Amino acid sequence: MYGKIQETASWLKERMTTSPKTAIILGTGLGQLASEITESYEFSYKDIPNFPVSTVEGHAGKLIFGKLGGKDIMAMEGRFHFYEGYSMKEVTFPIRVMYELGIQTLFVSNASGGMNPGFKIGDLMVINDHINFFPEHPLNGPNFPTGPRFPDMHEPYDSELIALADNIAKEKNIRLMHGVYVGVQGPTFETPAEYRMYHKLGGDAVGMSTVPEVIVARHCGIKVFGISVITDLGGFEVPVKVSHEEVQEAANNAQPFMTEIMREMIRRS
């Protein structure tokens, strides 16, 4: 696997005309930020050696390079999920490649279901911690030479980046919540009882991605900032039906605010 990672990184380096230190992963329905990237060039996942291919609606499936907030960046428009049948090594393969390309800071975004009674659909939630409910761990197997066998996870999401996001949101009068993200396998949305259980365990939002990517990023020493768009609510007295299309619509509506915060964070960091 490590040989494939290096092969992919070498293929990209030969074709890159920029030197990004920051990467962004755009989740379900959150591809609008890609249109904000200037001087861009891109590669389809299917054309990149060893890269998996995203199969989920709302995930474009391309790697974009260019400028955002005046800085060189790279962005994944579409990610890979465990429920698609990929192993955790495949799900997190792009993070390993990012490290080989010199990425130092990773912004991750997702659409998630909220179970905090204080949340509203369309809220942005800064992830300040997570709970891992995936049945397979991305660091299983031989240890990669990018980090220790037993990596510390006392601060998976960078406190300085969180403080920066809070300041920007306050300046721009954007409602910004904080909370714990619960990562689960999917692909079913949660039952009312599952929502209540995750909330009792300390979760504020739940989704089917992000946690494996963050674990591998931290194993590589990459700083992480995470943000969830609350696209549906669950676990309350009256069960609420949800569809993938509704999740995409809610994410689309929240995109301008998320984009503004991320663009400004990249500019200032």
Side-chain angles (χ1 to χ4, degrees):
M1 177 64 83
Y2 193 54
K4 287 185 175 181
I5 290 164
Q6 291 177 311
E7 179 187 347
T8 302
S10 294
W11 187 91
L12 287 166
K13 283 177 183 176
E14 288 172 5
R15 291 158 177 80
M16 289 166 57
T17 57
T18 50
S19 302
K21 300 297 182 189
T22 300
I24 306 170
I25 299 177
L26 300 170
T28 299
L30 296 171
Q32 181 182 311
L33 189 143
S35 65
E36 301 278 330
I37 300 172
T38 59
E39 302 174 40
S40 65
Y41 57 100
E42 60 189 49
F43 305 99
S44 175
Y45 292 165
K46 62 181 176 59
D47 296 328
I48 303 173
N50 307 315
F51 235 67
V53 178
S54 183
T55 66
V56 183
E57 186 180 346
H59 289 252
K62 56 187 178 182
L63 206 55
I64 305 169
F65 294 83
K67 289 187 180 295
L68 186 70
K71 304 281 183 67
D72 284 352
I73 62 109
M74 67 180 289
M76 285 181 67
E77 192 172 3
R79 54 153 55 91
F80 312 112
H81 304 82
F82 190 67
Y83 65 72
E84 293 177 83
Y86 293 118
S87 70
M88 279 299 182
K89 292 289 189 293
E90 291 171 314
V91 168
T92 57
F93 184 87
I95 311 301
R96 298 287 185 190
V97 173
M98 288 175 185
Y99 172 78
E100 296 296 325
L101 295 178
I103 294 301
Q104 297 175 357
T105 304
L106 175 66
F107 289 74
V108 290
S109 66
N110 60 58
S112 63
M115 53 246 184
N116 185 318
F119 288 177
K120 301 184 296 188
I121 289 178
D123 271 345
L124 298 177
M125 183 194 85
V126 170
I127 306 173
N128 54 28
D129 205 345
H130 69 230
I131 300 173
N132 184 11
F133 265 98
F134 284 95
E136 181 185 322
H137 199 281
L139 300 184
N140 277 357
N143 187 45
F144 279 78
T146 57
R149 171 76 278 190
F150 304 105
D152 175 71
M153 291 292 285
H154 83 280
E155 190 179 296
Y157 302 89
D158 190 80
S159 58
E160 290 184 4
L161 290 173
I162 291 172
L164 179 59
D166 285 338
N167 289 336
I168 292 167
K170 188 175 180 180
E171 286 173 19
K172 297 183 178 295
N173 200 28
I174 296 173
R175 176 179 160 95
L176 195 61
M177 315 304 285
H178 283 214
V180 175
Y181 178 87
V182 181
V184 299
Q185 175 176 339
T188 51
F189 291 112
E190 289 65 41
T191 68
E194 286 169 339
Y195 269 122
R196 289 193 294 271
M197 176 189 72
Y198 293 139
H199 186 50
K200 285 181 180 178
L201 289 173
D204 297 288
V206 59
M208 307 169 195
S209 67
T210 302
V211 169
E213 299 156 344
V214 172
I215 290 171
V216 169
R218 294 303 302 130
H219 182 253
C220 293
I222 297 171
K223 293 191 299 183
V224 177
F225 174 79
I227 192 164
S228 297
V229 178
I230 305 301
T231 52
D232 57 286
L233 299 169
F236 307 132
E237 289 185 11
V238 180
V240 180
K241 187 177 179 180
V242 63
S243 71
H244 186 65
E245 291 72 25
E246 289 170 323
V247 167
Q248 285 183 283
E249 183 180 357
N252 282 332
N253 292 336
Q255 281 194 81
F257 304 109
M258 186 194 78
T259 298
E260 191 164 4
I261 288 172
M262 280 198 179
R263 186 201 307 115
E264 192 63 19
M265 286 182 72
I266 291 168
R267 189 181 73 79
R268 297 187 193 184
S269 60

